Amino acid sequence: MSNPACQIQHRLLDTLPGVELVQARYQQFSFDKHVHDDLHIGVVDVGAQQFMHKGQRYLLAPKRLSIINPDEVHDGQAANDSDYQVQLLRISTTSLALFAQSMGYQPQEFFLRGPEIEDAELYQQLLTLHYAAAQQGTPLALDSLLVDILSHLLKRYGEHAGDIVGSARFSPRMLAQLKDYLLTDLSRSYRLTELAALFALSEHQFLRRFRQTLGITPHAYLLALRVDYARQLLRTNQPLSMVATQAGFYDQSHLTHAFKRRYNITPARYRQQLQQCAVFYNTAINGTRKLSSSMNVELTH
């Protein structure tokens, strides 16, 4: 990553669990390759952003949206020398699936077609939601805006999860199995032989398939899960030292260093923003179960 973001603000919405709004304005800033554990729907209302997704370049500009599904490797930077401002909607796949069921869809995990779409109506709806949240709009108005947006997304761009064709890659089901296995204890020191055995593969076969599926190493993926889980724990009132331990970091200093590198904000400041700007969830968390989450992670090989 290059220089820090000029401004960044996080807000939680309590309409649905696992929904977060992010506004960030960047100056001479670029993201390295990173992944998320939830869906990211982004719009730019100042300047323009270009990003790589599965080896292709895309441009995020007015009236366009970026839709990045979980575990899709991508980057991001300004399209020119000017500043750019991103308005981002994060939602967990679990929350999206539950919302889809409320619309009458069969229970299943949903993904959205992307990574770039041109939809002026949806673009305006998203901007309206972000601006209303920033101005502390009424809860009823925010509820209605979010429901309209999610309905629009599912009706026009929703797809249920399916297996990836090709034996050289992990299917979404296999990747979910691996993720659940790692999340059972993020503090453990895993070995490649152990992970490969989950799928009756050799170490070489596992590593090759993993890299072909995600474009990163298993170690980088585990680190991403740890940082992301720490972000979820920050929505509770647990001390930062306890958050660090539960997320698999050596200590609070290690957590702060990793979190700041990946989110351009300290854990303490992130928690403060959530407390000041949105409903602060006090959900009890038992063990290391997967929660609604998001990763913005520098990935190293």
Side-chain angles (χ1 to χ4, degrees):
M1 293 186 182
S2 61
N3 296 331
C6 299
Q7 301 174 356
I8 185 166
Q9 181 68 56
H10 299 80
R11 296 181 177 88
L12 293 176
L13 294 183
D14 63 346
T15 306
L16 293 172
V19 176
E20 185 173 334
L21 300 181
V22 183
Q23 180 189 75
R25 183 156 184 155
Y26 300 108
Q27 181 181 32
Q28 298 179 343
F29 179 88
S30 60
F31 288 101
D32 294 326
K33 291 180 179 179
H34 61 282
V35 296
H36 312 129
D37 195 36
D38 55 3
L39 285 155
H40 279 206
I41 299 96
V43 295
V44 167
D45 56 344
V46 176
Q49 182 195 55
Q50 59 178 337
F51 64 96
M52 179 278 297
H53 179 274
K54 295 184 178 179
Q56 297 188 38
R57 306 301 304 183
Y58 297 90
L59 180 67
L60 186 57
K63 298 184 180 180
R64 296 181 181 177
L65 296 82
S66 63
I67 297 179
I68 308 296
N69 288 291
D71 300 323
E72 293 181 346
V73 178
H74 60 288
D75 64 12
Q77 56 274 322
N80 47 49
D81 294 332
S82 301
D83 299 358
Y84 69 98
Q85 180 167 280
V86 177
Q87 309 278 357
L88 188 67
L89 169 65
R90 294 169 168 166
I91 180 169
S92 69
T93 53
T94 300
S95 293
L96 187 65
L98 291 173
F99 181 82
Q101 290 182 49
S102 73
M103 292 177 61
Y105 289 98
Q106 293 297 316
Q108 56 191 330
E109 188 173 18
F110 272 86
F111 290 86
L112 300 175
R113 292 196 302 276
E116 180 194 45
I117 59 174
E118 187 167 348
D119 189 322
E121 179 184 357
L122 184 55
Y123 175 86
Q124 190 57 53
Q125 286 179 320
L126 283 162
L127 284 186
T128 301
L129 174 65
H130 283 283
Y131 294 160
Q135 296 168 8
Q136 298 183 338
T138 64
L140 181 59
L142 293 175
D143 290 347
S144 300
L145 284 167
L146 182 62
V147 167
D148 283 343
I149 288 168
L150 296 182
S151 300
H152 188 131
L153 283 166
L154 284 170
K155 289 177 180 178
R156 294 194 182 182
Y157 308 107
E159 294 180 340
H160 64 81
D163 288 350
I164 297 175
V165 178
S167 59
R169 304 184 71 187
F170 285 117
S171 69
R173 187 177 296 107
M174 294 169 68
L175 190 59
Q177 179 184 347
L178 175 63
K179 183 183 297 184
D180 288 342
Y181 185 79
L182 295 173
L183 286 170
T184 58
D185 189 352
L186 287 172
S187 63
R188 276 190 55 198
S189 178
Y190 292 94
R191 301 300 300 268
L192 190 61
T193 301
E194 174 187 358
L195 301 181
L198 294 174
F199 307 100
L201 297 172
S202 69
E203 295 179 31
H204 172 74
Q205 290 172 326
F206 176 86
L207 188 59
R208 177 170 56 85
R209 291 191 183 190
F210 190 92
R211 281 175 167 160
Q212 289 181 345
T213 303
L214 292 181
I216 58 176
T217 65
H219 172 72
Y221 188 66
L222 176 60
L223 180 60
L225 293 178
R226 286 171 172 164
V227 173
D228 185 57
Y229 186 62
R231 191 180 68 84
Q232 299 306 311
L233 292 174
L234 289 170
R235 297 182 181 184
T236 73
N237 289 316
Q238 297 184 61
L240 290 179
S241 59
M242 186 178 297
V243 169
T245 301
Q246 289 193 32
F249 292 97
Y250 302 127
D251 51 29
Q252 183 176 330
S253 176
H254 187 205
L255 164 65
T256 298
H257 176 75
F259 198 92
K260 188 173 182 180
R261 279 182 58 83
R262 288 152 179 80
Y263 292 108
N264 299 296
I265 191 173
T266 66
R269 178 58 181 154
Y270 176 80
R271 170 178 279 175
Q272 184 182 36
Q273 287 189 353
L274 298 188
Q275 289 175 317
Q276 291 174 342
C277 301
V279 171
F280 189 61
Y281 292 106
N282 293 308
T283 305
I285 299 178
N286 298 316
T288 52
R289 293 176 59 83
K290 176 181 175 184
L291 304 176
S292 60
S293 54
S294 168
M295 288 178 285
N296 187 6
V297 184
E298 178 187 357
L299 299 174
T300 56
H301 295 264

